[in-house]
Amino acid sequence: MTKGRVYFYKVGRAVRPTLFNRLLTILLIGICIFGCTQNRNAAAKYVFYFIGDGMGLSHVSLTEVYLASQEGRIGSNSLSFTQFPVFGLATTHSVSNIITESSAAGTALATGEKTNNNMLGTRPDSTNLRSLAYPIHEAGFAVGITTNVTIDHATPASFYANSPSRSDYYRIAQQLPQTGFAFFGGGGFIQPTGRNGDLPSVYESIADSGYTVARGVGSYQLKKEGAKKMFYTQDPGIEDDLPYAIDRRQGDLSLSMVVEAAIDFLYDPKGKGFFLMSEGGKIDWSAHSNDAKTTIMEVLDFSDAVSLAVAFYEKHPHETLIVVTADHETGGLSLGATSGYTMYLDALADQTCSLDADPGSLQALRQINQNARIGWTTNAHTGAMVPVFAIGAGSSTFGGKMDNTDIPKKICAAMGVTFTQE
């Protein structure tokens, strides 16, 4: 064969390629390249958006170090989401301060715009913003909102409600049934019948709007078949957040159970796909209390919930996007306190319940933190950047430094959904 030329062979003799053969070859190569590119750039059909409320990088690091210490070694064991191939950092400031609070941060993560602290789903001038959940819903995707705190709390509420004040819980809750979103799950409501307990029940409004209300695991299993829209919460009589992982008892609802139900309800192999936001809200609460052991257990519980999304991703790797981040850091947590380069995490074994479950244990808890050499600088939030972990379709855009307002825009871009504020 002559060097530098391509020949086709037929019955033992070389034949110069015709123009048709050359064009056919170029076309086939082009189809292969285009197909491969399309596969890499395929739109995300199933999207999981996990928000660890208050979960800074130190919370993640402490939990991984704790897992290694449980095996009697110095090091760290990865969580479900820290193994993701894409890693970034997000800034979290609000309009009014470098240190945000949850409703302003939730608004940024849901709407792509910043607002003042203590405002929810609105601009600083009180005009309403739209959460990314609305254009996703309008594009034909099933939408789910889940949490392990009450569903009218700052982060979950940022995805469906608008209020100049995050504390107007009844007004926020009344907006839930108007969304038409397919699935809500988690704790109940802070004020289900209003501030004074004299207004129509939010649960009645939800049921009147076509939602099936399931109270407890057994109720969900009985009612899910045939339900068009689902509101899933705890057993009747329990209107609060889900228990801390460290305090959980048999029969208690957990974040993983809610996420599992959401996936079960939202997934339709013949449908367009789904979007699920899930908040690990009690990482923030335990960090506010400077309760290290409880915080570790909440991060582990959050990681377990993410594991369910990972299992789903493994079945649908080319169509699934998982994004894990936080709204802010809480507590100014440090791995190390006082002088000396030491930590003694075995001291945490002395703690068996949360501070909330035993308020009288405050001094003992502080001593455990001190013995373990776990430090805290505040009982509030800090202005530190938070981690962003991603895997799957469209995940490459989540690497590097970004602002929290970029995240919902990137998610919509990955889904092929147009997202703008009017």
Side-chain angles (χ1 to χ4, degrees):
M1 183 184 294
T2 305
K3 185 176 180 180
R5 296 182 180 179
V6 178
Y7 290 86
F8 295 96
Y9 282 80
K10 184 176 182 180
V11 195
R13 63 187 179 88
V15 179
R16 290 181 180 273
T18 64
L19 177 61
F20 172 79
N21 286 333
R22 287 173 176 169
L23 290 175
L24 180 61
T25 301
I26 293 170
L27 177 62
L28 290 173
I29 293 172
I31 290 173
C32 290
I33 293 173
F34 179 76
C36 292
T37 303
Q38 287 296 99
N39 185 56
R40 288 198 302 270
N41 298 327
K45 183 176 181 179
Y46 309 108
V47 176
F48 296 86
Y49 191 5
F50 285 94
I51 301 173
D53 199 312
M55 186 184 73
L57 193 56
S58 289
H59 300 69
V60 175
S61 299
L62 176 61
T63 304
E64 293 195 330
V65 168
Y66 172 81
L67 288 176
S69 75
Q70 294 298 102
E71 298 176 352
R73 64 182 185 84
I74 295 172
S76 64
N77 287 5
S78 295
L79 301 176
S80 61
F81 52 89
T82 58
Q83 301 178 71
F84 289 180
V86 180
F87 176 73
L89 290 169
T91 51
T92 64
H93 62 279
S94 68
V95 169
S96 56
N97 206 291
I98 193 67
I99 299 177
T100 190
E101 52 75 56
S102 290
S103 65
T107 297
L109 291 170
T111 72
E113 286 197 23
K114 291 186 182 290
T115 191
N116 290 334
N117 285 351
N118 297 309
M119 301 185 80
L120 187 143
T122 69
R123 296 185 177 93
D125 65 1
S126 296
T127 56
N128 288 345
L129 292 164
R130 271 167 55 94
S131 149
L132 82 164
Y134 284 95
I136 290 172
H137 171 66
E138 291 161 3
F141 294 88
V143 172
I145 308 295
T146 62
T147 181
N148 59 354
V149 298
T150 56
I151 202 72
D152 53 4
H153 221 268
T155 302
S158 296
F159 284 80
Y160 68 85
N162 312 100
S163 176
S165 171
R166 63 171 288 181
S167 300
D168 195 352
Y169 295 112
Y170 186 75
R171 175 185 176 184
I172 289 168
Q174 284 287 359
Q175 295 175 61
L176 184 153
Q178 300 171 23
T179 65
F181 297 165
F183 188 96
F184 287 91
F189 299 97
I190 296 173
Q191 298 170 355
T193 53
R195 192 180 303 274
N196 299 317
D198 57 352
L199 297 174
S201 170
V202 175
Y203 289 107
E204 292 178 6
S205 298
I206 291 172
D208 290 344
S209 298
Y211 281 86
T212 297
V213 178
R215 303 295 301 261
V217 179
S219 177
Y220 172 74
Q221 293 298 328
L222 287 172
K223 295 181 176 181
K224 67 177 183 177
E225 295 299 330
K228 302 298 183 183
K229 297 180 291 185
M230 175 66 68
F231 184 89
Y232 178 35
T233 187
Q234 300 174 97
D235 290 326
I238 305 176
E239 305 299 340
D240 212 339
D241 47 280
L242 276 57
Y244 282 110
I246 197 173
D247 300 327
R248 189 176 299 142
R249 300 291 180 265
Q250 186 174 357
D252 287 336
L253 202 60
S254 69
L255 181 61
S256 289
M257 294 164 70
V258 175
V259 170
E260 182 178 34
I263 296 171
D264 172 58
F265 192 83
L266 296 172
Y267 175 64
D268 178 359
K270 297 180 181 179
K272 184 163 186 179
F274 65 73
F275 167 83
L276 175 61
M277 191 291 295
S278 187
E279 180 206 23
K282 303 197 78 170
I283 299 169
D284 175 63
W285 293 14
S286 57
H288 273 294
S289 299
N290 292 174
D291 185 344
K293 177 71 173 289
T294 301
T295 299
I296 290 169
M297 301 307 290
E298 286 305 306
V299 175
L300 287 172
D301 201 55
F302 181 68
S303 178
D304 288 344
V306 177
S307 294
L308 297 172
V310 173
F312 184 92
Y313 161 81
E314 290 172 347
K315 296 177 182 177
H316 310 275
H318 302 299
E319 302 173 296
T320 303
L321 169 66
I322 308 173
V323 179
V324 180
T325 189
D327 52 353
H328 52 74
E329 194 274 353
T330 302
L333 174 64
S334 66
L335 279 68
T338 70
S339 60
Y341 306 107
T342 56
M343 290 192 77
Y344 303 101
L345 295 180
D346 56 335
L348 296 175
D350 296 335
Q351 184 177 345
T352 58
C353 67
S354 70
L355 179 62
D356 282 9
D358 184 11
S361 66
L362 177 59
Q363 293 304 318
L365 185 146
R366 287 177 175 172
Q367 188 61 54
I368 289 172
N369 277 266
Q370 184 176 337
N371 293 344
R373 302 295 194 271
I374 296 171
W376 301 90
T377 63
T378 179
N379 291 109
H381 302 168
T382 71
M385 289 190 289
V386 295
V388 181
F389 306 90
I391 190 172
S395 61
S396 61
T397 64
F398 293 88
K401 184 182 177 182
M402 68 200 80
D403 188 66
N404 55 6
T405 56
D406 295 326
I407 297 175
K409 299 168 188 174
K410 292 175 184 288
I411 287 174
C412 283
M415 298 181 76
V417 173
T418 301
F419 178 42
T420 58
Q421 294 291 345
E422 298 175 358

